Amino acid sequence: RTLSAVESLKDPETEPYRSKYSARALLQEVKQLLSAAEEGGEAVLAVRRAVLEHELGCVATALTAILKEEAFLFPAGPLSLAPLLSLCIRLCIPVSNNLGILWSQRDEIETAQTYLESAEALYNQYMKEDGNPPLDPSEHFMAEEEKFTDQERSKRFEKAYTHTLYYLAQVYQHLDMIEKAAQYCHTTLKRQLEYCGYYPVEWARNAATLSQYYLSKECFMEARHCLAAASVIFSQAGQVPSAEDDEAEPDQQDLPERKAEIARCWIKYCLNLLQSARKLLEDNIGELDPDRQLELKAQRKKEEDEKEKGRKKAVLFGTSDICDSVLAMEEKVSSVYPLDFQEAREIFLVGQNYVQEAKEFFQVDGYVTDHIEIVQDHSALFKVLAFFEEDYERRCKMHKRRIDMLEPIYADLNPQYYLLICRQLQCELADTYYEMMDLKVAIGNRLEKLDSHTVKKINSLAQFAIKYYELFLDSLRNPDKVFPEKLEEDVLRPAMVAKFHIARLYGKLITSDSKKQLENMQTSLEYYTFLVDYCEKYPDAVSAIETELELSKEMVNLLPASMERLRAKLSSFV
Amino acid sequence: SVEGDAIKVFVRVRPPSDRPALTEGDQGLCLSVLSSNTIRLHSKPEPKIFTFDYVANMETTQESVFSSVAKNIVESCMNGYNGTIFAYGQTGSGKTFTMMGPSDSDNFTHSLRGVIPRSFEYLFFLIEREKEKAGSGKSFLCKCSFIEIYNEQIFDLLDSASAGLFLREHIKKGVFVDGAVEQVLSSAAEAYQVLTTGWRNRRVASTSMNRESSRSHAVFTITVESMEKNNEVVNIRSSLLNLVDLAGSERQKDTHTEGLRLKEAGNINRSLSCLGQVITALVDVGNGKQRHICYRDSKLTFLLRDSLGGNAKTCIIANVHPGSKCFGETLSTLNFAQRAKLIKNKAVVNEDTQGNVS
């Protein structure tokens, strides 16, 4: 029967299926011999027959996949032998795996699910009741001296079961049972580690990607664990692989790239942790809420003792020495929400280090998109750190750092190829200038009297913000420079917000020249009116910008009156 | 116009085969063309109607396929837009015939020549006309490259000695194939010469290196650069025209046509090869949270990123074989084409004013 494996390697190019057919003929022959001998009804023989049926099934599946004919049905026979658990467990699992694949090929994923889940149950039952490494199916046809050691048996057995979990992960993903799918991915990764069945780089990459799933669920402890494990395992890459691995890792030459990618996953970790903390701490105008801060700090103290318990529930990676390294890695960054500037800064610094690491590989020359994404993350890290900073001047300086990193990139970027990124940068730069201007106004309000330096500063920040908003709006124009009648869904909100912010900015410009002020008010009114008119014409847009719309309506009502007053004042001077 | 930004989708139905198999009558066919933009697929229990921008039936000539599909794109290419024409479909559905023409002729005056040679002629015809109109004030530079993507590796078809090129990005030039040979073109005949040389290399490579051309994508790219001098201001416009012969759709792993199937783990291979993909799929539903996914797009989508939902005018020619045996593949091709219509493109004129030379 080993013939089938041997034969398939020797397949002539022209007739790739010939060996399969001959293997099938051979297997059928043996099966007939066995069936004849089976009359006695001995259990071992029944199992042997089942092994052959399974082999036949495998051949048939191979043919099915190649020929796209679905004439063969995989024999489910072996599964009926379930009572003889210790004898046939080793067969049931691959049979169920194969049935799972087969049914999924027929788009009946639920049927596949039942087979795979039953394999999972059988495995658990067997491990509870027996637990000894079971005989490998191929051993039924081997001479006594060829048989495997217990270690080898166990390895093969566990590997087959790992495949079951891997298929279940896919089944759950196809069935949109995302949480379960993630759990099975996690377990598959864990088992790969335990049974040394992994390529370090690929494993690390998978674990790092899984961490991003946990981020989307705000499970920071799990995310950190995946990332720490990814970093630890990655550092094994290129070192001496375990003895039996004769295959080289497929993509050794990509090591720097993979390393940078893991760094990028870490950046996202730091960013998400900070952003989530911000969400917890902010009040309704987006400022740090000190009451909330005290409350959360008290709460955290209470929870600290319970934390250890929660920790044990999570599935941890690795055996003792790997585990130690992972824990050491984890200690370098917190997984709880930072509650004040000091804590936020520590996470920020870790993120910033990974930014440098990622940039080493993703340089702007050759990796424009990746490089810019990293810079954008860096800017986002500063932005969220600024939230925790109480001193307005220092906060303003943080935003200036963002401007300094984004502006030069934007200036070089060719919108012909990077239109989307250009728009993102335009909006981000505009928003940052806008925020800086707001901070300067706040600082100015504390002064007795606005000095001319502050006024100049405020006006120039406002002008820059306007400039970038206008650049963004211009990018929406069609080749004939006409602004679109109806905005596409993906740019609707940013475009409306840009219009709204420009309107506000014109309102904030400080000037002693009343005529100029009147002009600014007029411009402001035009932008507010645009918003109101647009929403009247396309009511779908209202939901996207409710608050902005409300304020705009108010301004459209108020502005003409104040302009009238100003005009009256003006004419009285003349 | 808003409509002009969406990807245009054309479907072409090839004749069943050279032998007159029509003896079976309509029974042998799994679809019928109802009008110049609708097609009916004889599926069970209910027939299905598909609507596209244009449907070419078996009698449609190469000339009319060209004028309804490619003419417009070549014209906008002259006006500074990027343009891309894809041919999609299963092996044997007529992609190469549509794009190149009959395989046995290098002669590009052949009456059955395909979209690519006709695009060359038209492009150079337009260039000549522009030049005549503008006199010495305007000049053109055309360059081309021809690459093949096989098994996620990039080969240069204009330099058969090279292997394994890399995709890189440049902050001004966008995505490009690092080290790909660029040949300057001065006429349509020359372009055709380059194309056929490359095509021959593709065939040679496929036999000598065990590459199957039905499993590789071929991308022929023409860069058109025009320079116009106007009162000391130099206006440079450049645009790309990509002509893409995709791998047979039946074997494309990376399109999401595989439905619910599970990916198998190799017996020897420890890597449980698609665990990463499963995890990626989990992260995809990440509700607007910041995340990084360690798996890049395929080489082809990366290279043609601008053409798919980017900054270009793009059209897809979906080729189908009407035989009832091909029902499954035809259905999936039509479904793919239908989905492609949903991709919106934003076309922007590529104008870069380099002021003031004095």
Side-chain angles (χ1 to χ4, degrees), chain A residues 104 163 167 170 174 199 202 205-206 212 245 268 272 365-366 368-370 412 414 416-418 479, chain B residues 81 168-169 171-172 260-263 265 267 270-272 276 290 292 294-296 305-306 311 350:
Chain A
S104 80
H163 282 179
Y167 294 130
Q170 296 183 56
H174 285 312
Y199 297 120
E202 191 176 298
R205 196 182 190 194
N206 286 340
Q212 305 299 293
D245 299 342
K268 297 292 188 192
N272 276 288
D365 182 23
V368 178
T369 312
D370 294 282
D412 280 342
N414 183 346
Q416 177 182 347
Y417 299 108
Y418 298 103
Chain B
Y81 297 98
R168 290 167 64 84
E169 283 180 281
I171 200 158
K172 291 278 182 219
L260 291 174
R261 294 188 177 188
L262 304 186
K263 307 266 171 48
N267 278 327
R270 292 163 303 169
S271 68
L272 303 183
Q290 294 260 359
H292 176 69
C294 298
Y295 296 83
R296 259 175 190 267
R305 211 170 34 173
D306 293 327
N311 208 356
N350 309 320

Side-chain angles (χ1 to χ4, degrees), chain A residues 44 52 129 147 184 190 198 234 238-239 268 279-280 307 385 395 426 463 471 543 573:
Chain A
V44 179
L52 281 175
E129 290 173 5
K147 293 201 169 167
Y184 277 82
K190 179 181 155 62
Y198 65 98
F234 182 84
Q239 293 169 13
K268 297 292 188 192
K279 217 179 262 161
L280 280 182
K307 213 174 74 189
L385 180 67
R395 201 193 281 192
Q426 285 154 354
Q463 293 292 3
L471 279 169
S543 62
F573 278 120

